[in-house]
Amino acid sequence: DRVHMDRIGLGNNLQSRLDSITNLKTRDGERIALQIEAKSAPGYLRGQAYLGYQENTWTAIPPGETAREAAKTPAGYVPLWRDARLFEVYPGAGDPVETLTVFPGPEIDRALFAPLESGWLARRGGLQVNHAGIVQSPGPVNGQPYQVVAAALPAVVPLNSKELEQYTQLPEALAPRLSALAEKICVGLNDPGAKASAIAGYFRGNYEYKLGIQVPRDQDPLEYFLFSDPLPAAHCEFFATGAALLLRATGVPARYVTGVSVWEQHPFADYWVARNRDAHAWVEAWDEEEGWF
């Protein structure tokens, strides 16, 4: 239902707890949330991005401003609906790479799922977009389909001082231990990509993946995940939160992202499928030369 989807930050709710995605994945996990027409597997489709983390909860970046309609149609783009409006998601995006047509299920409220490399989005009705490139409908989606035009992102625009501060903030209570662990994992590394690889390698080498984690009542969930002995098995919300905050502790701006990971092709039809169990959390990190990755 819509309320349940809101709880993982994919609607009007701007907060997401570290058990929100697990609840969705285990509640009617086979239910189809999205159908996508695309030439290749859509992969990671973003629904929401987050800035601050405190006490087991991420706070999302607000929906943002009304998107601007495109002044001209990008080369090779063919609209499916005569009355659709084409909006710019990243002004100045390069040539289109691929067009995805997304058919949302009835449980989707306002989230419009799209890849990081979204140059334009076409739909009936309006569109909101924030500084992270997260797109959202200003009103209920009501199952209406839309098209996303993936493209090379424009030249890197440096983060301003406020964004740098926001994307490197740490929960005060855990900051010293996070910094010590990050320094241990990333010793001698300066490149953001190398730090991200080292942190991912640390998780792969020391943890098991398991949906759900049993956290003792008297302990902070993230502290228990990162600093227990032995280290507990966990799922994407914990790995993504840990990675985002460890990157921040090394000085790399990072944000926590929720959405769906889409790799399943329908066996009897020419489209891709995202089910409730495909709800996912991951990390986007900043490189001043390459932009977000």
Side-chain angles (χ1 to χ4, degrees):
D1 55 57
R2 288 179 178 174
V3 173
H4 190 68
M5 183 64 78
D6 278 355
R7 291 177 186 164
I8 68 167
L10 303 180
N12 288 328
N13 191 349
L14 293 181
Q15 293 189 326
S16 183
R17 290 172 50 87
L18 292 190
D19 57 1
S20 300
I21 288 179
T22 306
N23 290 338
L24 182 61
K25 290 168 79 74
T26 55
R27 177 177 173 176
D28 198 9
E30 294 301 309
R31 179 191 292 181
I32 293 177
L34 302 172
Q35 297 177 13
I36 305 116
E37 292 180 353
K39 293 179 181 177
S40 56
Y44 296 102
L45 300 183
R46 311 156 84 231
Q48 189 61 278
Y50 299 80
L51 282 177
Y53 176 82
Q54 287 289 346
E55 298 180 356
N56 197 32
T57 301
W58 282 97
T59 300
I61 303 170
E65 304 297 325
T66 300
R68 185 174 64 182
E69 290 197 48
K72 62 179 182 179
T73 302
Y77 166 68
V78 179
L80 287 184
W81 311 285
R82 195 174 288 178
D83 58 345
R85 302 163 67 190
L86 182 66
F87 298 93
E88 293 182 340
V89 177
Y90 278 103
D95 293 334
V97 175
E98 184 178 5
T99 298
L100 294 74
T101 304
V102 183
F103 299 86
E107 74 275 18
I108 305 298
D109 187 5
R110 301 196 181 207
L112 299 172
F113 295 85
L116 174 62
E117 301 83 5
S118 297
W120 299 266
L121 190 145
R123 70 184 302 258
R124 300 180 179 100
L127 184 72
Q128 292 175 305
V129 59
N130 62 26
H131 73 261
I134 295 293
V135 289
Q136 190 172 82
S137 171
V141 172
N142 290 329
Q144 288 191 5
Y146 56 93
Q147 289 179 291
V148 181
V149 183
L153 297 185
V156 174
V157 178
L159 299 181
N160 60 41
S161 58
K162 181 180 179 180
E163 290 170 334
L164 283 171
E165 179 183 357
Q166 290 175 323
Y167 283 127
T168 53
Q169 63 182 305
L170 296 171
E172 186 175 350
L174 288 179
R177 299 188 77 180
L178 285 167
S179 296
L181 179 57
E183 183 177 353
K184 176 182 176 182
I185 295 170
C186 298
V187 60
L189 300 177
N190 295 308
D191 178 73
K195 291 179 179 180
S197 294
I199 291 169
Y202 172 78
F203 285 137
R204 290 193 186 100
N206 292 280
Y207 286 84
E208 292 182 9
Y209 179 91
K210 181 181 179 182
L211 192 59
I213 178 174
Q214 299 300 317
V215 180
R217 279 190 172 186
D218 60 342
Q219 293 200 31
D220 174 84
L222 184 63
E223 186 174 20
Y224 175 76
F225 167 68
L226 288 174
F227 303 112
S228 293
D229 185 15
L231 295 172
H235 56 274
C236 63
E237 291 166 290
F238 283 83
F239 291 114
T241 298
L245 297 181
L246 288 171
L247 281 166
R248 291 181 176 191
T250 71
V252 176
R255 58 195 181 205
Y256 177 83
V257 180
T258 57
V260 289
S261 179
V262 190
W263 306 98
E264 178 189 350
Q265 191 165 23
H266 195 285
F268 307 116
D270 190 22
Y271 58 81
W272 304 83
V273 172
R275 303 179 187 274
N276 281 0
R277 58 176 165 79
D278 297 317
H280 194 45
W282 62 92
V283 183
E284 292 173 353
W286 174 259
D287 184 311
E288 62 183 13
E289 295 183 0
E290 302 295 331
W292 290 102
F293 67 95

